[in-house]
Each structure stands twice: as structure tokens, then as C-alpha cells.
Amino acid sequence: MDALSRYEPIVDDFEAFLSACERPLPPVVRVNTIKTTIERARRGLEAAGIELDPVEWHPGLFRLPEDQPGANWPYTHGWIHGQEEVSAVPATVLDPQPGERVWDATAAPGSKTTQLAALMDDRGLLVATDNNMGRLSALRSNTERLGVTNVAVTNEDARNHSLKPFGGEDYDRALVDVPCSCEGTIRKNPDTLEEWSLGHVEGIAGVQKGILSRAIQATREDGTVVYSTCTFAPEENEGVLDHVLDTENCRLVEFELPLEYQDGVIEWQDETFDSQVERAKRIYPHHNDTGGFFVAKLEVTG
Amino acid sequence: MSENVSHRFDRLPATEAERDVEGRPTREAVLTFWAERFGIDPETFAAYTFWERGNGKIWAFTGDLETPVDIEALGMSFMRTRQEHWKPTTEAVQRFGPRADRNVIHLDREAAERFLAGEDQQLEWDGDWGYLVVTHDIAGGPEPIGVGLYVHGELRSQIPKGRRRDFSGE
């Protein structure tokens, strides 16, 4: 937990924050509307004797206080997918529409990819990229079980993503849910912070800047890019946004989020970021009793 | 004639007249298979393109791209051709099987559990031998689980090893 003490100056209620970080999280499933309806999935889970609680802000999510998501008939039919509650946020902020061209820049293992496909009603083009072959095989098994047919999977470094196989045309929207130091997953993986180092945070921030830059370049003017992490470190959040606001044609936009959150921070240690980063949202574990998360919505301006 | 290239996706030719790779099935033949074997209207697949990667492995993708496409995956793995009996995948049957009205075998819960666990079982079936859509009832209606091969009075589960589950002890 020591690594978290650096966030005391920016977290609204630091005691509540620390105590939430120590509580485990219940498993959550998302209903896959490509293959069933929310109502039928609920009936299938109840018939399997699985207790479920609704999630107020998202009708397609259920908390399973007593069970794991994988060992039941609704899972077998691809009606449900285990996904941490807060990780369902960025796809809803991106809000892709049926028929659009959408890029999931760091897609594996595919929870968000399959959620994007469902939001697109499985129509249009959804390009899912990851540089790790092993994780791509997990993504493939998820897209298959969930019955996704509008996905095209590429194995490459997102920083060098090529539009060539897809006719060279820019995307309408891109999701950039980058690899990060994962501090916000501590409730699921209590060991997360054991390997923490500032060097790692700073190193991975460089990669994040590269991926977000490529996504902005590959998205059409007036198109939307959503940037998200499951970490608290401003170096990986506002710091990355500050960088692309300076180097790429984009701006940060306001958006609604039906959850409790704090605005992005403008000042961190001895740095001051572009004031637009205030439009990003920080979700702390004590706000909604979830994992921690960071999300920002960008509009491409050229 | 060109050769099949195993690592990339090539769009299926619409008809025999447009085919330039030996043995590659046509879109027409794929649609005819689903219509004749399972009664699924070809209109169901109007928005889909079909692609071959590997020998006889056919993928279904909503939308279209310039052929060939050299990427990791394109849509969903859909069926196996280039063998005597064409075989749908588990994924295709789960996704499109609800529209099937023939060669569908409906199991009770106990038989469905054995099928999902990968077991072969003796069952009465008056219809054709060969690949069947296997369904059971869940949440108020029938739902396809996967593909079974019916021969000699026996339904042989074709559920891939990684997707088998044993719920019998619960």
C-alpha cells in the first residue's frame, strides 16, 4: 500500500480510499447482447442457482456475490462475460454506432472488444490490435464464444498500426485502454503494488503516449478517441493527455458519466498540465465500490 | 489456377465461374449447404463475406475488405469444407443455429450435460445421419449448444476440448 501514499494530496477522502483498496471485489458479468437479451440472461443465471445483484448505472451488468462467472450454461452459450464493473466504462464513453469503423488499439484479452462489438450491434468494422500473441489467443476465444463477427484481429505494436489491410481509411472512433501500472486493480490483485517502481511508471507512460498518438492520427477529423487506464498515477493519465494535447490535433471534451468521480488533476508534484485535463475523470475505489479507473474523451481536430 | 495460401484470408468466389483456386468452395455452395442441411435462409448471410484461411477453414465476417487480408483473424470461424461432409463450427451453430428448422436434435437437460462434457451417447433419431445442430431448453426456449455427429444410433459430441464443461456434479 506504500506506493499509494503518493496520492494523498489528490484523493478526496484518503482514508476511505485506502480502506476501499483493502476490500475484495465481487465478480461481475456483462450480458452479451449479440447472443441474448438482458432478461433471458438473468433468467438463465437464476435457473442455474446463481445469485445476482443489479448494477445501478449499467443494466447489462450483474454482480455475482457468491459465484464465479465461468461454470454455468449462460456462460457456455456466450450470453455472459466476466468483466470488472469499472472496465465497462470506456466502451460506453466511446459509444460506437452500428456500421462505423472502430479501432481497439490494445485489445487483448477482449472484454472491451466484445463490448464494443455488442454496442455496434456486431455491424461495421472493429479492428482489434494487440502485440502479444498469447493474449490474442485469449481474445480470439472470447470473440468466438460471444459470437462476434465484425472483428478483424491484428498482431502488431499499436504504435505502428497499419491501416493498409482496411483500405487505408481513418477510423470513426478509437479506444485506447492502454497497458498500465494497474494500481486500480489492487482489490482484485492484492500483489499489484509489490513490483511498483517510479521507473516502471515513467517507462510505460512513454509507450502510452506513443499508442494514444497513433490512435489520434488514425482517427478522422471530428472523430472520437477514448483514453483509459486502471491506474492512479498522473504520469500515466493526465501526463499522457498533456503530451498529446501538445503534439497532436485533438482536444479534450466534456462527457456524462453516471458514476461518482473526481475531475482530472491539473497539478501534480512540480508539474502543471494543460487545463483541459480537468475534463478527464478519476474513479477511485471508494466512490462507487469498484476498482480504480481513469477515462478521458478526445475529439480529433485535424 | 492459383494455390491456396495458408496464412492469409482469401474471399470465397461468388460462383464456380469465378473460382481460381482448386478446391476452394464458393459462396453459393456455402449458402446452399446451410439452406439444404439446416433450412437457414441464405438472406441471413446477405451482409456477410466468407473467407478461406488454411485448407478448407471458412470464416464469416460482416462487411467486406479487399482480398486477400493478411491478419490474425477475420470475423468468426464458421465451418470446415474440403472434406466429404462439411462441418459447421460450434460458434457458427450457437450464433446462427436458432434459425435452423431441420437436422436439429433437442436434448433434455441430462443428455445436454453429457453432450457438453464431450460424451458420446446412444439416442433415438429418425432423421438424417451426419452433423446436427444440438439444442436444449434454457430460460424459456431452445438454444443451440453445438454440433453433434449422428451415426449408428449414437450422437457424438463435437464440442471442442477447451469448451467442454462438466455440470453433472452440481
Side-chain angles (χ1 to χ4, degrees):
Chain A
M1 290 283 175
D2 281 355
L4 297 179
S5 59
R6 66 200 295 261
Y7 306 123
E8 189 162 3
I10 60 170
V11 176
D12 49 359
D13 182 346
F14 194 67
E15 288 307 309
F17 168 81
L18 283 183
S19 102
C21 285
E22 283 171 5
R23 291 197 301 271
L25 277 180
V28 171
V29 295
R30 175 176 54 79
V31 175
N32 175 32
T33 51
I34 292 173
K35 283 177 112 175
T36 193
T37 60
I38 292 170
E39 177 55 22
R40 202 160 175 224
R42 190 185 60 73
R43 285 181 63 183
L45 286 163
E46 284 174 353
I50 293 166
E51 192 184 324
L52 45 121
D53 296 329
V55 171
E56 300 69 28
W57 68 276
H58 192 309
L61 299 179
F62 294 114
R63 298 190 189 105
L64 309 185
E66 308 291 341
D67 288 277
Q68 291 304 313
N72 54 65
W73 277 109
Y75 178 89
T76 293
H77 288 295
W79 288 2
I80 57 167
H81 180 70
Q83 178 172 8
E84 209 200 318
E85 181 179 332
V86 79
S87 94
V89 164
T92 64
V93 174
L94 190 66
D95 194 25
Q97 301 298 307
E100 287 187 332
R101 293 169 64 91
V102 177
W103 185 33
D104 188 351
T106 54
S111 295
K112 297 174 192 87
T113 310
T114 52
Q115 186 185 7
L116 292 170
L119 288 167
M120 296 168 77
D121 201 16
D122 199 28
R123 286 185 282 143
L125 172 67
L126 174 57
V127 176
T129 296
D130 208 277
N131 66 352
N132 180 317
M133 228 20 207
R135 282 166 57 86
L136 271 184
S137 107
L139 174 135
R140 290 275 311 117
S141 107
N142 285 323
T143 61
E144 295 269 296
R145 184 176 55 85
L146 300 190
V148 177
T149 64
N150 73 339
V151 70
V153 180
T154 72
N155 176 27
E156 60 191 328
D157 186 325
R159 291 173 289 186
N160 307 320
H161 176 56
S162 169
L163 289 166
K164 216 169 147 197
F166 313 109
E169 200 185 322
D170 286 342
Y171 295 107
D172 297 301
R173 296 173 205 260
L175 177 62
V176 184
D177 180 67
V178 283
C180 66
S181 59
C182 295
E183 295 160 342
T185 67
I186 186 168
R187 298 180 66 176
K188 251 174 73 181
N189 311 306
D191 303 337
T192 299
L193 298 180
E194 282 174 15
E195 305 276 302
W196 193 95
S197 76
L198 187 58
H200 177 244
V201 165
E202 288 169 348
I204 207 163
V207 176
Q208 292 159 346
K209 288 169 186 169
I211 298 173
L212 180 55
S213 298
R214 181 68 193 115
I216 293 164
Q217 293 156 11
T219 300
R220 66 170 169 81
E221 188 170 354
D222 300 325
T224 301
V225 176
V226 165
Y227 179 77
S228 61
T229 73
C230 54
T231 210
F232 308 119
E235 293 88 342
E236 300 178 56
N237 294 323
E238 291 87 348
V240 172
L241 296 173
D242 182 70
H243 172 82
V244 298
L245 286 168
D246 197 36
T247 58
E248 306 295 331
N249 294 316
C250 65
R251 67 185 191 95
L252 278 171
V253 294
E254 306 276 359
F255 60 100
E256 299 285 322
L257 189 64
L259 286 165
E260 195 180 325
Y261 59 85
Q262 257 183 257
D263 291 340
V265 297
I266 293 179
E267 293 191 352
W268 170 245
Q269 295 177 341
D270 53 1
E271 275 195 86
T272 304
F273 301 124
D274 187 311
S275 62
Q276 290 183 56
V277 304
E278 260 192 321
R279 297 173 190 160
K281 302 191 194 309
R282 301 185 143 258
I283 301 170
Y284 291 123
H286 60 292
H287 284 154
N288 312 280
D289 200 17
T290 62
F293 214 73
F294 178 89
V295 60
K297 186 175 186 179
L298 298 92
E299 182 185 289
V300 178
T301 55
Chain B
M1 283 268 170
S2 311
E3 294 274 313
N4 182 46
V5 180
S6 65
H7 63 83
R8 70 177 195 205
F9 292 90
D10 285 76
R11 196 191 310 110
L12 299 193
T15 60
E16 291 290 339
E18 291 173 34
R19 188 172 71 186
D20 63 359
V21 173
E22 177 84 42
R24 175 166 290 160
T26 64
R27 174 183 179 86
E28 191 176 34
V30 165
L31 296 182
T32 301
F33 168 82
W34 285 86
E36 287 184 351
R37 181 78 194 162
F38 300 115
I40 297 180
D41 184 351
E43 196 54 34
T44 304
F45 302 109
Y48 287 83
T49 51
F50 298 108
W51 304 74
E52 182 177 28
R53 186 180 71 168
N55 202 19
K57 290 185 181 167
I58 307 301
W59 297 58
F61 171 63
T62 33
D64 202 358
L65 291 172
E66 188 118 341
T67 187
V69 187
D70 193 356
I71 59 175
E72 292 307 312
L74 189 58
M76 163 197 284
S77 65
F78 187 63
M79 63 192 295
R80 281 299 296 263
T81 63
R82 297 199 190 226
Q83 49 199 8
E84 191 184 348
H85 298 288
W86 289 8
K87 179 184 181 182
T89 61
T90 303
E91 290 75 28
V93 157
Q94 285 198 355
R95 179 77 200 271
F96 302 104
R99 296 164 184 267
D101 65 6
R102 71 180 78 120
N103 290 313
V104 178
I105 187 168
H106 191 74
L107 304 182
D108 63 24
R109 182 52 63 93
E110 191 198 334
E113 284 179 355
R114 294 179 64 188
F115 175 78
L116 181 64
E119 288 177 36
D120 302 337
Q121 48 193 319
Q122 300 288 324
L123 282 172
E124 294 289 319
W125 167 249
D126 293 338
D128 287 355
W129 286 15
Y131 292 118
L132 307 179
V133 171
V134 178
T135 64
H136 74 145
D137 279 327
I138 176 172
E143 190 71 16
I145 308 166
V147 179
L149 175 62
Y150 193 85
V151 281
H152 304 293
E154 187 176 66
L155 182 68
R156 297 182 183 165
S157 176
Q158 306 295 301
I159 298 288
K161 285 202 174 64
R163 298 196 55 180
R164 292 179 191 168
R165 293 287 184 279
D166 185 358
F167 297 155
S168 61
E170 294 178 15

